[in-house]
Amino acid sequence: MSDPKKLYIKTYGCQMNVYDSERMAEAMGGEGYVETQDPAEADMILLNTCHIREKAAEKVYSELGRYKSLKAAKPDLKIGVAGCVAQAEGQEIMRRQPMVDLVVGPQSLHRLPELERRARGGHKALDTEFPEELKFDHLAERPRAARGPTAFLTVQEGCDKFCAFCVVPYTRGTEISRPADKVLAEARDLVERGVREITLLGQNVNAYHGAGPHGDWSLARLVWALDKVDGLDRIRFTTSHPGDMSDDLIEAHGECPKLMPYLHLPVQSGSDRILKRMNRGHDAESYLRLIERIRAARPDILISGDFIVGFPEETETDFADTMALIEAVRYGQCYSFKYSARPGTPAAERALVDATEASDRLTRLQALLTRQQHQIQNAMVGREVGVLFERTGRMPGQMVGKSDHLHAVHVTGGGISTGDLRRVRITESAPNSLGGVPIGG
Ligand code: SAH
Ligand code: SF4
Ligand code: F3S
């Protein structure tokens, strides 16, 4: 028998791309490919790309440039571009980088095997349609290989919100929710293969409204159904929009035992003027009230967020409002970005804030967020938390896992293995992780 062909996938962007990459690897498994971590030995290289900011999109072209010599040495090597850059710039990629053999958008990735066959036949293959059929229903059956203790599971995809800065509604298309029974079946399958924690994914995951028995299910209803799955210990979901944070979901945070005390709830800005220009659909005050209600339901919940600084027309006063909102919320973890104008979005037409000014604001904002992150981490010292161990650490005998609040926690000793869920007393707080000792056996 000939050796299996090798597939190298490089993934950029959000968790949904991580999930999609897994599914593409599985689909290509059905075509006789096995994954490799080394592009030099690959028969096919696939870049799963992100278009969210200019820098992310440009990385694709520099990465492709690095494969030129590989392709010259091995003309049979097929190079593909998937993901959101593929969706946004499909033809342009083929023009700028003629060595690209195939381009596949996020909603047509179930057609990848067919595109690969076309590419093997010497044709350029491009599919960036939003097909009628749902990719989820047409993806290859998963090979039933064992899995690590954590997994992503996409339940909702696409976005109808059209924030003025954002490409996602264009690259991922309109909002679609998967039927509840499909999600539950996939969750049970993951659990049978060793998964103990599932993170439900969606661009607006809390807008989930999948078909279920007796009408549409909300995300809260789905979370409660997953709570009943034996062997599943932890449930998370991301990313939520403040406008879709329904009462039943807030309640679930207080009452559902397996739902972890962590919520990613991006607000982007604390200025009402900028929020309006961003088309976010809510103001700062309503966001703060929402956070209060969530904390009333689950007092120890860790809130994380995203911020954009230097959005067109943002003044120093607008920025001060953002800093004030951050002070009021006290975030445990945040991602923050300098505004990047994206072609085709409404905000791209507007005048940019001075680049030095924007960088200076980002520095000040990140200093505040880092301070808050450390305060919250330091306050964990002395507390007992659950930790799901995911891998060995760098030190001998060390194991690393994630706490209920998604802090990285390292522990030495205690006879811990990957996949163990243990109670740990936190004893130290380092810049980006916590240290602790396991409690009991
Ligand atoms: N659905 C999520 C966000 C997905 S994009 C939500 O609504 O919050 C992830 C993050 O990238 C956004 O929260 C935003 O902070 C950032 N982002 C999106 N477009 C951007 C742009 N044009 N420039 C800078 N940051 C951007
Ligand atoms: Fe983008 Fe806004 Fe949709 Fe989030 S809600 S994906 S930021 S358009
Ligand atoms: Fe990037 Fe597309 Fe995700 S633009 S953030 S990979 S949805």
Side-chain angles (χ1 to χ4, degrees):
M1 227 178 83
S2 62
D3 283 346
K5 285 178 283 184
K6 299 220 167 79
L7 170 66
Y8 172 78
I9 305 188
K10 184 158 181 152
T11 307
Y12 300 86
C14 60
Q15 290 118 324
M16 200 171 284
N17 265 9
V18 175
Y19 176 84
D20 284 349
S21 288
E22 286 171 5
R23 304 308 302 262
M24 287 193 284
E26 287 165 1
M28 294 314 288
E31 304 292 304
Y33 278 88
V34 295
E35 262 192 284
T36 172
Q37 303 306 316
D38 178 9
E41 64 166 23
D43 299 285
M44 179 168 171
I45 292 177
L46 204 52
L47 301 184
N48 195 8
T49 61
C50 173
H51 200 244
I52 202 83
R53 286 168 290 276
E54 190 180 353
K55 261 202 200 119
E58 279 304 315
K59 268 189 208 153
V60 178
Y61 293 100
S62 53
E63 188 67 20
L64 285 171
R66 293 173 48 192
Y67 300 143
K68 248 186 200 134
S69 54
L70 291 181
K71 181 104 175 173
K74 196 189 215 178
D76 267 357
L77 169 66
K78 296 298 165 203
I79 297 184
V81 179
C84 290
V85 180
Q87 189 61 47
E89 302 181 7
Q91 298 286 357
E92 169 76 4
I93 296 170
M94 293 261 187
R95 200 183 54 75
R96 267 178 77 174
Q97 278 293 0
M99 69 174 178
V100 170
D101 299 287
L102 70 92
V103 167
V104 59
Q107 301 312 342
S108 23
L109 57 81
H110 55 297
R111 295 176 175 171
L112 178 62
E114 181 194 322
L115 295 172
E116 188 266 354
R117 284 193 291 272
R118 271 192 1 231
R120 289 256 159 249
H123 305 285
K124 297 270 173 195
L126 178 138
D127 193 336
T128 50
E129 277 178 47
F130 291 100
E132 278 291 303
E133 81 267 15
L134 280 189
K135 67 177 173 193
F136 299 113
D137 300 335
H138 289 79
L139 277 164
E141 282 292 306
R142 285 167 175 250
R144 299 186 46 84
R147 301 261 328 201
T150 64
F152 294 130
L153 201 177
T154 294
V155 301
Q156 180 277 338
E157 196 165 345
C159 183
D160 298 339
K161 295 268 191 294
F162 291 93
C163 300
F165 51 80
C166 185
V167 294
V168 171
Y170 312 98
T171 62
R172 293 274 168 173
T174 177
E175 275 184 34
I176 289 169
S177 294
R178 293 177 70 189
D181 60 342
K182 291 263 165 53
V183 173
L184 289 168
E186 190 168 327
R188 285 193 200 98
D189 178 65
L190 287 167
V191 169
E192 277 170 25
R193 291 155 60 200
V195 169
R196 301 188 70 173
E197 171 182 308
I198 291 179
T199 303
L200 305 176
L201 299 181
Q203 262 88 39
N204 278 317
V205 72
N206 56 342
Y208 175 84
H209 54 93
H214 318 296
D216 275 6
W217 281 26
S218 66
L219 185 66
R221 186 134 183 218
L222 189 63
V223 165
W224 276 110
L226 285 164
D227 188 70
K228 309 281 177 302
V229 173
D230 283 341
L232 180 64
D233 296 299
R234 290 172 146 190
I235 306 163
R236 305 180 187 277
F237 57 84
T238 198
T239 294
S240 300
H241 189 282
D244 292 312
M245 207 62 214
S246 57
D247 292 347
D248 60 349
L249 195 56
I250 296 175
E251 265 166 39
H253 267 294
E255 291 167 11
C256 180
K258 293 180 185 173
L259 185 57
M260 290 293 105
Y262 183 102
L263 180 65
H264 186 57
L265 198 62
V267 65
Q268 316 296 353
S269 168
S271 152
D272 289 344
R273 212 176 64 91
I274 295 298
L275 285 169
K276 198 173 222 134
R277 284 171 165 71
M278 285 179 165
N279 192 31
R280 287 290 291 181
H282 61 81
D283 59 16
E285 185 55 36
S286 61
Y287 180 80
L288 290 173
R289 275 203 310 272
L290 180 59
I291 298 284
E292 266 171 28
R293 286 175 53 219
I294 295 162
R295 284 205 169 119
R298 179 78 202 230
D300 73 331
I301 199 163
L302 189 145
I303 304 287
S304 77
D306 293 342
F307 288 92
I308 296 177
V309 301
F311 186 77
E313 298 165 34
E314 183 190 74
T315 63
E316 191 57 32
T317 312
D318 294 317
F319 179 67
D321 288 346
T322 300
M323 295 292 268
L325 177 138
I326 294 171
E327 295 278 11
V329 172
R330 289 169 288 116
Y331 286 95
Q333 157 90 52
C334 272
Y335 301 91
S336 48
F337 314 95
K338 198 153 71 157
Y339 169 72
S340 167
R342 307 306 293 128
T345 60
E349 311 292 318
R350 305 180 198 159
L352 287 173
V353 166
D354 174 74
T356 322
E357 185 60 34
S359 299
D360 177 61
R361 285 179 197 161
L362 186 63
T363 307
R364 285 184 279 155
L365 178 119
Q366 288 181 338
L368 174 58
L369 290 171
T370 306
R371 214 159 50 234
Q372 290 193 340
Q373 184 193 320
H374 290 162
Q375 275 163 4
I376 286 176
Q377 270 183 219
N378 295 345
M380 298 305 293
V381 175
R383 282 180 59 182
E384 210 184 282
V385 293
V387 177
L388 177 59
F389 287 92
E390 294 176 14
R391 58 182 176 87
T392 54
R394 261 181 304 211
M395 311 299 253
Q398 193 183 55
M399 292 297 295
V400 184
K402 291 280 168 57
S403 75
D404 302 339
H405 300 91
L406 214 54
H407 286 125
V409 177
H410 52 86
V411 160
T412 304
I416 294 168
S417 311
T418 299
D420 287 354
L421 181 59
R422 295 277 294 268
R423 301 297 296 170
V424 170
R425 184 174 308 285
I426 301 301
T427 53
E428 56 175 316
S429 167
N432 288 307
S433 66
L434 301 172
V437 289
I439 298 165

